[in-house]
Amino acid sequence: MRLVNLMCGAYHKQFRCLSSKITEEVSKLLALKAQQGTDKDEKAGGKFVLKTAKGTRDFNPRQMVIRQQAFDKIIACFKRHGAETLDTPVFELKEVLTGKYGEDSKLIYDLADQGGELLSLRYDLTVPFARFLAMNKVGSIKRYQLGKVYRRDNPAMTKGRFREFFQCDFDIAGPTDPMIPDVECVRVVTEILDSLDLSEHVVKINHRKILDGLFEACGVPETQFRAICSSVDKLDNSPWEDVRREMTDEKGLDPEKADQIGQYVLRSGQDDLVEQLLADTKLCSSKSAVEGLEALKLFFRYAELYGVKKRVKFDMSLARGLDYYTGIIYEAVLTNQNPEEGVGSIAGGGRYDNLVALFDPKAKAVPCVGVSIGIERILAILENREVNLKMRTVETQVYVAAAQKNLLEDRMKICTELWDIGIKTEMSYKANPKLLGQLQTCEEQGIPWAIIIGQSELEKGVVKLRHVVSRHEEEIERTKLADVLKEKLSAPVF
Amino acid sequence: MRLVNLMCGAYHKQFRCLSSKITEEVSKLLALKAQQGTDKDEKAGGKFVLKTAKGTRDFNPRQMVIRQQAFDKIIACFKRHGAETLDTPVFELKEVLTGKYGEDSKLIYDLADQGGELLSLRYDLTVPFARFLAMNKVGSIKRYQLGKVYRRDNPAMTKGRFREFFQCDFDIAGPTDPMIPDVECVRVVTEILDSLDLSEHVVKINHRKILDGLFEACGVPETQFRAICSSVDKLDNSPWEDVRREMTDEKGLDPEKADQIGQYVLRSGQDDLVEQLLADTKLCSSKSAVEGLEALKLFFRYAELYGVKKRVKFDMSLARGLDYYTGIIYEAVLTNQNPEEGVGSIAGGGRYDNLVALFDPKAKAVPCVGVSIGIERILAILENREVNLKMRTVETQVYVAAAQKNLLEDRMKICTELWDIGIKTEMSYKANPKLLGQLQTCEEQGIPWAIIIGQSELEKGVVKLRHVVSRHEEEIERTKLADVLKEKLSAPVF
């Protein structure tokens, strides 16, 4: 008869041994199978499909450990920069989200109208943060927030793109002198990616005023700025020819103007490019462009002082879709050429000086800048890396085992004693478990110490203390058990 | 001109000084005012109401600190008992939740049908956990989970009843010998409530088989068990007369049978009551009742061994509405007579041996028992208690201040140096902040150390290190600054 402990062990082992590749393939097949099953089952009135909602997933204990370790590092960085945290509800009044996300608004999840308010799931943490600032009349705060957000996007779960996913946001709100907090946000991103050993990354930057100025200088009508900007945004994944075609054929832009845009948006560099552009008379005919370029000049100066300049790339094609950005925009991408770790955006953000005013009854503006770390993609990489690593998902320090039958009550008493002094203690849930099974549990779960009790030893007033890894055993006086364990457990971990 | 730092300080102070009572009253008034505004504004096509969705709330940084401290204690207890954690999505396929919550199912939030699957927000963490077990074929696990759940209930926010609220769940799944994990769940609840200094509490227990047996013995038709059970549940808040009237007038129960029920459900006690009932020939005519009573007898024996017997009360009126319980049921209530801390359920749970089978394609059962801590009510109490306590919401250790103008770049360099070695460091976001304002920020935010730089000192290669509380200042060599701070910060906190 197998014991519950053994099953527990097997469960752990299972999670340890499966590579996430396999897990992924299996879940794809299962999903497919489930999907095929749907029609038949539904018609037959049978059981429903056993799955999570499209684009969402469970996290098993192993994934949770990896996730928590990453969160701890991210939060440590946010605190190192003086941020405090807050929390907002997972849904907002629908109208709070309306008109903030440009073309992406169609991806917002709405709640059913069950009488009462019209509600939507939050699409990011930024808009609820701005709502919080206006509602509580907070004029200045440095805050971080970790939370799930929701987008009815086409999920690409293998690439870490989900419909429910975590964002880790850091924002600095309140009046400041130019660019000081803007550069600190980049510093925060690089500190975090470094601490997660994702060191090969680059933070692409651009400035909304440069984009606007560029369109102005190239003769794009102001009404078309947003549409053309959204085309430029696609240079990420599409060649210039396709983007140009979209501008001219779909959006009706004069081909000559498109070509002028092409001469700018394909360029990237550092402060040298800023200087070149400041000498470009056509671009500098736009006041907006000059302002943006001067801002980036300052940005590079501060980036040098904050030790992050080598990580920054001024990329004139970086546009970012969201409506609310007003100044600098960022996007961090991994440059690692390991194809398994993929390439793609893992953090993004920018300055949004007018968002809070949209919520304030008196339209009072609170300038803000912030960055959002997209943790799912990072987790996918970390999970793949640590797939063969032995990892504990429980922290149990002591396992109370019985060598014979009829010792349940004695095991319970010892557990109580150890819980009382804060020692992480477990025992079998069987009344009369076999010793071998109990010891196997200890080994499989990496529990460092086992107490083994027997009738004759208890009568002598002693118990056995077993060091699980070395299998070394010593006899301890029952009355001194708690003290001995306290001492052993305060010693360095082995 | 006021500095951003001062504003930041004022903001902190504001949160510290407002008693939560006042906050509550103000928010009630604001909500009222906002509500009054709605009709007018909507008619005028003006701004929408600035609020969170009904029954939900934001947590400010101070509340977050209190919440995190409580979570830390709760998680520590779960880990002390060997639990690992997992996470599930905030919404599930609607059919996953269907038929699990009895009369309460009407409180489930549905998502709008935007094409695709029909989804609902999770109502608790238990049903998604059971879905997880069946989907991943997990036969045995001890897991904890902290997460928000959603109920379209009538919010009573002053009593800690919300539409979005946190639950902290601990569950033991898998085959075990009787009552061992069931009693451990009560031990977990009392450990947690003790660690939160909510020591005056009692854990009421009952058993579904005793309730069913009691109805059987009193001649209630089996088809009416659920309906009568749900009336019994109301004895919490209503006198017996009202409950009796509901049974007879609304649910058509024979008055004589109702009176017989009344002779049982108003009783409470400990193992003495179990013994009395085991000698009650009428009740013991029901096999189900005998099984339930024998189970509670064992429960009390183990509760004694686990040191929690004095906290347990066998309450025959405890029913709990949810459909999925099959064995023991619990409910922890505060017995503190401090009216401000209120009385009410702060934890609940029970055994649900058939829930996983509802999800398993082969109806394979996984016996489970668990408990859910209702943290919102606990938080309301803790927030009230700590309302006058000075509390830091940021952890900044060092503030880099300038005594004169034109030292921004030097401040940036020092911040970079300190961030590089992991010291939590901040500075003003003004290019030329006033010294007084900077020092005020340190005092208001409880930052222990300030570095003050000046032009002439920098030229001499020194900086001033100020101990903020004592205002003691010393001169430190600029090159040794990092080392000196590392040493100061590893010293005990003062």
Side-chain angles (χ1 to χ4, degrees), chain A residues 466-484:
Chain A
R466 180 184 170 104
H467 184 233
V468 174
V469 171
S470 66
R471 299 185 178 184
H472 172 80
E473 292 184 352
E474 56 183 315
E475 234 177 43
I476 305 280
E477 278 181 53
R478 171 73 183 80
T479 51
K480 290 187 181 156
L481 180 59
D483 288 334
V484 170

Side-chain angles (χ1 to χ4, degrees), chain A residues 167-375:
Chain A
Q167 286 196 330
C168 305
D169 278 28
F170 174 89
D171 293 82
I172 299 168
T176 68
D177 275 318
M179 280 295 149
I180 307 174
D182 310 56
V183 180
E184 189 173 351
C185 287
V186 173
R187 166 89 200 185
V188 163
V189 170
T190 60
E191 276 186 30
I192 286 171
L193 298 183
D194 283 347
S195 74
L196 294 168
D197 288 323
L198 301 168
S199 52
E200 294 181 55
H201 63 268
V202 60
V203 182
K204 298 193 282 185
I205 63 161
N206 199 356
H207 198 290
R208 269 281 155 100
K209 286 192 174 173
I210 296 177
L211 282 165
D212 286 351
L214 183 163
F215 299 141
E216 190 191 339
C218 297
V220 178
E222 205 177 327
T223 50
Q224 275 200 290
F225 278 13
R226 279 284 144 78
I228 297 303
C229 192
S230 127
S231 299
V232 169
D233 209 11
K234 292 172 185 160
L235 278 172
D236 219 11
N237 300 306
S238 312
W240 166 247
E241 291 67 35
D242 294 359
V243 170
R244 185 184 181 281
R245 199 173 307 120
E246 182 181 305
M247 287 180 179
T248 54
D249 296 8
E250 286 177 36
K251 298 185 175 169
L253 188 70
D254 184 345
E256 202 183 304
K257 291 175 183 171
D259 288 333
Q260 289 182 42
I261 292 172
Q263 285 173 9
Y264 289 109
V265 294
L266 296 172
R267 294 164 78 176
S268 67
Q270 280 213 322
D271 42 0
D272 52 338
L273 177 57
V274 177
E275 293 300 340
Q276 279 172 36
L277 294 168
L278 276 170
D280 181 313
T281 44
K282 187 168 109 191
L283 184 60
C284 290
S285 69
S286 155
K287 188 170 156 265
S288 170
V290 175
E291 283 174 7
L293 289 167
E294 290 292 349
L296 287 201
K297 196 172 158 182
L298 195 59
F299 180 93
F300 275 106
R301 199 170 117 215
Y302 292 165
E304 171 111 57
L305 291 162
Y306 274 163
V308 296
K309 189 178 163 192
K310 64 180 186 300
R311 290 284 172 60
V312 175
K313 187 169 99 177
F314 171 27
D315 182 334
M316 295 189 78
S317 74
L318 180 68
R320 292 186 69 75
L322 306 182
D323 272 6
Y324 50 65
Y325 291 121
T326 55
I328 192 145
I329 46 182
Y330 331 95
E331 193 165 283
V333 293
L334 292 187
T335 51
N336 198 315
Q337 288 312 303
N338 179 350
E340 278 192 20
E341 304 205 344
V343 185
S345 164
I346 43 173
R351 176 162 284 282
Y352 49 102
D353 283 349
N354 300 331
L355 187 57
V356 177
L358 292 182
F359 294 110
D360 191 88
K362 290 175 185 161
K364 183 178 171 288
V366 177
C368 297
V369 65
V371 73
S372 178
I373 314 282
I375 186 74

Side-chain angles (χ1 to χ4, degrees), chain B residues 13 28 32 69-70 76 139 151 197 253-254 260 262 321 323 337 349 355 384 388 399 420 429 462 465 493:
Chain B
K13 212 166 183 178
K28 268 190 261 175
L32 208 64
Q69 285 169 351
R151 300 184 182 179
D197 288 322
L253 188 71
D254 183 346
Q260 288 180 43
D323 271 7
Q337 288 310 302
L355 186 57
N384 260 316
N388 293 315
Y399 193 90
D420 280 343
Y429 288 120
V462 296
L465 181 62
V493 184

Side-chain angles (χ1 to χ4, degrees), chain A residues 4 7-8 11-12 14 47-54 56-61 64 67 79-91 93 95-96 108-112 114-115 117 119 121 131-132 134-136 138-142 148 150 152 164 172 175-177 180-181 184 187 191 301-302 305-307 357-361 393-396 408-409 412-413 415-416 419-420 422-427 429-432, chain B residues 4 7-8 11-12 14 47-54 56-61 64 67 79-91 93 95-96 108-112 114-115 117 119 121 131-132 134-136 138-142 148 150 152 164 172 175-177 180-181 184 187 191 301-302 305-307 357-361 393-396 408-409 412-413 415-416 419-420 422-427 429-432:
Chain A
V4 53
M7 300 176 66
C8 225
Y11 169 64
H12 284 282
Q14 176 194 344
K47 285 231 172 197
F48 60 86
V49 185
L50 192 59
K51 65 186 284 293
T52 59
K54 183 179 176 188
T56 71
R57 58 172 172 170
D58 298 317
F59 285 88
N60 65 40
M64 289 298 279
R67 185 165 106 177
K79 287 184 174 173
R80 198 156 54 237
H81 288 265
E84 51 199 336
T85 189
L86 53 81
D87 190 33
T88 62
V90 81
F91 47 70
L93 298 186
E95 48 199 0
V96 166
I108 294 173
Y109 275 99
D110 292 328
L111 269 72
Q114 296 170 288
E117 302 158 336
L119 306 172
L121 296 187
R131 192 265 307 145
F132 175 92
M135 198 171 127
N136 295 285
V138 177
S140 174
I141 187 174
K142 205 184 316 185
K148 286 176 177 176
Y150 299 87
R152 294 180 54 257
E164 174 187 61
I172 299 168
T176 68
D177 275 318
I180 307 174
E184 189 173 351
R187 166 89 200 185
E191 276 186 30
R301 199 170 117 215
Y302 292 165
L305 291 162
Y306 274 163
L358 292 182
F359 294 110
D360 191 88
T393 54
V394 293
E395 297 180 9
T396 307
L408 172 62
E409 299 204 351
M412 284 180 148
K413 278 184 209 160
C415 283
T416 303
W419 287 331
D420 279 344
I423 292 178
K424 295 167 192 157
T425 311
E426 279 191 278
M427 61 167 213
Y429 289 120
K430 288 279 167 192
N432 295 305
Chain B
V4 54
M7 299 178 67
C8 225
Y11 169 64
H12 285 280
Q14 175 194 345
K47 286 228 170 203
F48 60 87
V49 185
L50 191 59
K51 65 186 282 292
T52 59
K54 184 179 177 188
T56 71
R57 58 172 171 167
D58 298 317
F59 286 88
N60 65 40
M64 289 298 279
R67 186 165 105 178
K79 288 184 173 174
R80 198 155 55 236
H81 288 264
E84 51 199 336
T85 191
L86 52 81
D87 191 33
T88 61
V90 82
F91 48 69
L93 297 187
E95 47 199 2
V96 166
I108 293 173
Y109 275 98
D110 293 327
L111 268 71
Q114 294 170 288
E117 301 158 335
L119 306 172
L121 296 186
R131 192 265 308 144
F132 175 92
M135 197 170 126
N136 295 285
V138 177
S140 174
I141 187 174
K142 205 184 314 182
K148 286 176 176 177
Y150 299 88
R152 293 179 54 256
E164 174 187 63
I172 299 168
T176 70
D177 275 318
I180 307 174
E184 190 173 350
R187 165 89 199 185
E191 275 186 30
R301 197 170 117 216
Y302 292 164
L305 291 162
Y306 274 163
L358 292 182
F359 294 110
D360 191 88
T393 54
V394 293
E395 298 180 7
T396 306
L408 171 61
E409 300 204 350
M412 284 180 149
K413 280 184 208 161
C415 282
T416 303
W419 287 331
D420 280 343
I423 293 177
K424 295 168 193 156
T425 311
E426 279 190 280
M427 62 166 212
Y429 288 120
K430 287 279 168 192
N432 295 303

